[in-house]
Amino acid sequence: EKSLSPIRGWNDVRREHRARIAAKRLRYLIEPVSRFAAGGDDIMESLKSLQDLFRDLHDVQVFSSEVDRAMRKSDDETQPGLADLSERAQARGQSLYEEIERDWLDGSADPFFERVREFAAELSAAAKP
């Protein structure tokens, strides 16, 4: 939850990477016990979706960086095609970011994290003798 809050924009590579790793760690923590409390499977699916979004965004960021590098070395003949690729990559990155923002940022993930807390509480209660 804390790793999502500082993300600002589609090209916030470092913070998005941290959030992706945090989601992965949470998923790996919940996965072995997901069937022992209500909502575990839904939580797992949500985390997988978030990881997929961040993976796709990371791929776009890497591609965009490579296109930008190629543009700096390009000539007049290849420049227009590379510029078009760059614009398309940025549009795709922005689109992915908007989906992450809509579903996960600025409080939109509060219901998800409440489900995680409820899941953890149910697990904890079941573990007590």
Side-chain angles (χ1 to χ4, degrees), residues 32-73:
V33 296
S34 65
R35 66 175 196 243
F36 297 124
D41 291 337
D42 290 338
I43 291 169
M44 293 294 299
E45 287 304 312
S46 294
L47 289 169
K48 286 178 186 177
S49 294
L50 178 60
Q51 284 181 267
D52 288 346
L53 284 169
F54 276 127
R55 183 199 62 232
D56 292 349
L57 183 58
H58 177 73
D59 290 348
V60 169
Q61 291 163 339
V62 170
F63 180 76
S64 181
S65 176
E66 290 300 318
V67 169
D68 289 348
R69 188 178 351 268
M71 283 178 63
R72 289 191 294 275
K73 298 177 182 179

Side-chain angles (χ1 to χ4, degrees), residues 8 16 38 54 56 66 97 99 111 113 119 121:
R8 301 287 180 258
E16 289 156 356
F54 276 127
D56 292 349
E66 290 300 318
Y97 175 76
E99 187 173 348
F113 288 111
F119 174 82

Side-chain angles (χ1 to χ4, degrees), residues 1 4 7 10 16 20 32 36 38 49 77 87 89 100 118 121:
E1 192 170 11
L4 290 169
I7 295 173
W10 80 271
E16 289 156 356
R20 183 172 60 95
F36 297 124
S49 294
E77 187 176 333
E87 288 175 21
I100 292 167
E118 290 169 1

Side-chain angles (χ1 to χ4, degrees), residues 23-45 47 112 115-117 119-120 123:
K24 179 177 162 180
R25 287 180 178 154
L26 180 58
R27 187 179 131 219
Y28 288 173
L29 180 67
I30 292 175
E31 196 165 31
V33 296
S34 65
R35 66 175 196 243
F36 297 124
D41 291 337
D42 290 338
I43 291 169
M44 293 294 299
E45 287 304 312
L47 289 169
F112 169 79
R115 286 194 337 253
V116 171
R117 284 187 276 280
F119 174 82
L123 278 179

